[in-house]
Amino acid sequence: MTNTKMFAAFNKQTAKSFNDQKALIKKVLAGRVILCETCKQPLHFLSPSEKDVAGRIRCNKGCTDIELDIV
Ligand SMILES: [Zn+2]
């Protein structure tokens, strides 16, 4: 069935990007300079605040904005 195949492909894609995101977060937290895939600006770790309990990884433009509670 075509629909089942598409769904499986979608799940695979999601799992891959989830793992990529985790790897990226680890690198940034380790002090590596990682560039945003969209704007090619360095990603920064933002410390936890009242708004962001776990902190986040973000570029200056905001096209990359990852909450750390998924780790
Ligand atoms: Zn960006």
Side-chain angles (χ1 to χ4, degrees):
M1 296 290 284
T2 310
N3 281 347
T4 311
K5 270 187 188 167
M6 280 176 66
F7 186 67
F10 176 76
N11 274 348
K12 203 174 171 185
Q13 178 92 38
T14 305
K16 186 183 176 295
S17 57
F18 179 73
N19 285 333
D20 285 351
Q21 214 169 56
K22 274 170 66 174
L24 182 150
I25 290 165
K26 276 185 192 166
K27 286 178 192 167
V28 173
L29 292 182
R32 298 262 308 269
V33 176
I34 307 296
L35 300 182
C36 171
E37 285 187 4
T38 306
C39 67
K40 309 299 179 193
Q41 298 295 306
L43 299 178
H44 305 287
F45 170 65
L46 298 185
S47 301
S49 65
E50 282 181 29
K51 206 174 131 196
D52 301 309
V53 176
R56 59 176 62 224
I57 302 277
R58 202 172 180 281
C59 73
N60 285 336
K61 286 190 171 183
C63 28
T64 295
D65 190 351
I66 304 168
E67 289 184 56
L68 293 195
D69 59 2
I70 61 159
V71 180

